[in-house]
Amino acid sequence: MVYFIIVLAGLGIYDILQMKAKKQKKEAVIYAIFMVLVGLFGIFYFTDPERTSFSKLLITLIGIKE
Amino acid sequence: MLESRNKISTRQAVILFIAAQASPVIRIMPRHASEIVGRAGWVAPLFSVLPFICLVYVMQLIFKKHINSGLGELYIKVFGKFIGRAVLAFCSIWFMILMGLYLRYFAERFLSSILPNTTPTFFYITMLIAVYYAVRGGIVNFARTVEFLYYLFVIVFISLFLFNLPNVQEINLLPVTRYDIIPMTKTIKSLFGVWCYFSLLFFFGDRLNDKEHISRIGLQTILFITITCIMLLIQTIGVYGHTVIARIPLPYFESIKSISLLETIDRIESLALALWVFIDFTVISLFLYLTVSVIKNLFSLSEVKYFISPVVLFAYIFAFYLGNNRLELEQFTDHIGLQVNIIVCFVMPVILLAVGKIRKII
């Protein structure tokens, strides 16, 4: 998880600095929101990698048996 | 001239589609055709031709008056800002899910064949780095790279088919009777669920030239992909029989393993794997490009190359989270993936055309 956060933060800072230099304020704000959401998703997954998978959740939801 | 306008031709876009559809078709079709139809499964692709032709003409009609627009812009124009943006948001989420799915299948292929003790992280990171730089370079460079590798793909695919022909047994493919017709119609969901990706090319329709030739190029495409799909099924079902193919995880890979040239040269499945890496690279890159194109329309952005980073990071995590084993991935594909593909890639464009005609926008 630590490496993931480091890569996320590194890419985020690099891209936001480039957008700031090009005065792309709207793009930078939406980009930052996306990165925060992806970061939260990463933390959600890495806190318990053994949790029920996305496929299993959906398949159970629609009532398909194995 | 085209490059200076940062556009590609419809022919180049269709080559992207042909390369991208190869990976899921090779993975899905032999198993489904064997399970559903049996030994006559190699004839099943013919039944998906008609829906594909309908899709081609739907796209031709949509872009008749809007030659310089993309599909995303048309969704907003026809459905209105609120519903149009909701549709685009759903599309972008679905494309990100598909990107994670194909990334996971890419790793699974190696993990279940030649590199079973390797961590999947290695495959995810190497593929995502390649895809990140490919898409960041822009659609023109990406399309030209795929166009060059595509010709190589065709030569290798046809060569492997010809080398495998001596191993094909007639008893595994015949007879084909009228009782196979109904089961063959059931394979339409499997094959058209992938072939409908044709409509996704038009999400970057503002980057496509000569859209007036959609129908001509589309009809040439269906001929090519039908023939290659039949070749794929002949060399899988024909070599091992439908009962075996229905049960093994990588039927095409296993059929290639049976090739032995002059009883001396064998083990050329590594060539098939190299080919497969290329087509997986194409499909993952295509969905990455589609996602950022849709995000551009969704938020009315001027530049989207920076959004490649969060989408790539999402795909990395989602590839882990998607399923705990191959069975879950296959269940997701069979019961959810193919159906949602048909809704997003076929039903929604048809609804777009209908509503556009009623509102006199298209």
Side-chain angles (χ1 to χ4, degrees):
Chain A
M1 179 160 72
V2 173
Y3 296 123
F4 173 74
I5 301 291
I6 290 170
V7 168
L8 184 114
L11 272 174
I13 292 166
Y14 176 71
D15 286 336
I16 286 175
L17 284 174
Q18 289 199 319
M19 280 186 270
K20 203 177 164 188
K22 291 182 184 177
K23 294 183 171 45
Q24 290 172 339
K25 209 173 175 180
K26 181 183 173 187
E27 282 79 2
V29 167
I30 296 170
Y31 175 88
I33 294 170
F34 266 89
M35 283 303 238
V36 164
L37 288 172
V38 169
L40 289 172
F41 180 52
I43 291 167
F44 162 77
Y45 172 74
F46 284 117
T47 45
D48 182 13
E50 303 300 320
R51 69 176 73 243
T52 308
S53 66
F54 178 77
S55 302
K56 190 141 185 168
L57 274 173
L58 275 188
I59 285 161
T60 314
L61 200 70
I62 61 177
I64 293 165
K65 292 189 179 126
E66 283 183 38
Chain B
M1 189 79 165
L2 286 176
E3 203 172 328
S4 65
R5 279 184 282 166
N6 210 17
K7 288 189 176 188
I8 60 172
S9 66
T10 304
R11 186 186 140 275
Q12 284 177 305
V14 162
I15 287 175
L16 277 178
F17 158 71
I18 294 173
Q21 61 85 43
S23 175
V25 166
I26 289 174
R27 179 172 38 84
I28 294 169
M29 206 49 199
R31 184 170 57 88
H32 282 209
S34 301
E35 274 174 8
I36 299 169
V37 188
R39 68 182 59 178
W42 61 281
V43 185
L46 295 175
F47 285 76
S48 297
V49 169
L50 190 60
F52 188 87
I53 291 174
C54 293
L55 179 63
V56 167
Y57 280 106
V58 164
M59 301 319 294
Q60 176 81 71
L61 285 170
I62 287 173
F63 287 98
K64 209 172 178 182
K65 284 185 192 171
H66 299 273
I67 210 91
N68 293 318
S69 300
L71 206 54
E73 292 165 38
L74 287 176
Y75 273 125
I76 293 175
K77 219 183 251 186
V78 170
F79 292 140
K81 280 188 181 167
F82 182 71
I83 297 175
R85 290 209 149 98
V87 167
L88 288 182
F90 177 75
C91 287
S92 65
I93 292 168
W94 183 243
F95 296 158
M96 287 197 283
I97 289 173
L98 285 179
M99 193 181 152
L101 178 71
Y102 287 121
L103 185 64
R104 179 62 183 269
Y105 269 125
F106 163 72
E108 285 287 329
R109 189 166 303 123
F110 287 96
L111 292 170
S112 50
S113 57
I114 58 170
L115 296 169
N117 297 320
T118 315
T119 170
T121 312
F122 167 74
F123 300 107
Y124 297 159
I125 291 175
T126 46
M127 178 55 82
L128 286 173
I129 289 172
V131 158
Y132 178 85
Y133 280 107
V135 176
R136 214 170 154 109
I139 188 68
V140 173
N141 296 330
F142 172 57
R144 288 178 74 188
T145 307
V146 171
E147 193 179 359
F148 167 71
L149 291 172
Y150 160 78
Y151 293 122
L152 205 62
F153 158 75
V154 169
I155 291 167
V156 172
F157 182 82
I158 292 172
S159 303
L160 290 175
F161 173 75
L162 293 171
F163 295 154
N164 218 354
L165 261 183
N167 300 324
V168 171
Q169 297 171 52
E170 203 183 277
I171 190 81
N172 289 336
L173 297 174
L174 298 172
V176 177
T177 68
R178 65 179 190 278
Y179 301 108
D180 298 313
I181 294 176
I182 304 285
M184 283 186 209
T185 57
K186 293 179 186 170
T187 63
I188 293 175
K189 176 202 84 173
S190 309
L191 193 52
F192 188 61
V194 177
W195 281 357
C196 60
Y197 287 165
F198 179 80
S199 67
L200 300 183
L201 300 173
F202 300 94
F203 270 104
F204 44 90
D206 51 336
R207 296 291 181 92
L208 291 187
N209 270 319
D210 57 282
K211 286 207 280 296
E212 57 273 10
H213 300 306
I214 291 172
S215 54
R216 179 176 61 84
I217 294 171
L219 293 175
Q220 289 169 357
T221 304
I222 187 60
L223 182 65
F224 180 81
I225 57 178
T226 305
I227 291 171
T228 49
C229 191
I230 290 174
M231 285 164 68
L232 168 72
L233 293 171
I234 285 173
Q235 66 180 312
T236 46
I237 299 174
V239 171
Y240 286 119
H242 66 97
T243 48
V244 173
I245 294 298
R247 285 163 176 78
I248 54 177
L250 299 171
Y252 181 64
F253 182 73
E254 295 298 332
S255 76
I256 298 300
K257 270 185 175 176
S258 66
I259 294 175
S260 180
L261 298 172
L262 304 170
E263 293 180 18
T264 314
I265 304 168
D266 51 13
R267 308 280 298 173
I268 59 173
E269 62 269 17
S270 50
L271 192 61
L273 269 178
L275 173 82
W276 227 330
V277 170
F278 151 65
I279 57 178
D280 278 333
F281 162 78
T282 306
V283 70
I284 296 168
S285 304
L286 182 66
F287 277 103
L288 175 58
Y289 193 81
L290 279 169
T291 308
V292 295
S293 296
V294 171
I295 288 172
K296 181 182 177 184
N297 289 133
L298 188 57
F299 297 107
S300 307
L301 303 171
S302 58
E303 196 177 358
V304 286
K305 71 174 186 184
Y306 304 106
F307 288 83
I308 294 171
S309 309
V311 177
V312 158
L313 290 170
F314 172 84
Y316 173 74
I317 302 295
F318 194 73
F320 285 108
Y321 179 54
L322 182 59
N324 289 326
N325 51 53
R326 199 183 173 86
L327 176 67
E328 286 180 4
L329 294 181
E330 284 176 4
Q331 284 189 323
F332 177 83
T333 302
D334 294 348
H335 299 293
I336 298 167
L338 295 168
Q339 289 82 342
V340 178
N341 276 350
I342 291 176
I343 291 169
V344 170
C345 307
F346 180 64
V347 173
M348 276 167 38
V350 169
I351 295 173
L352 174 74
L353 178 64
V355 175
K357 286 283 186 196
I358 291 167
R359 293 187 67 190
K360 295 189 169 62
I361 298 172
I362 292 176

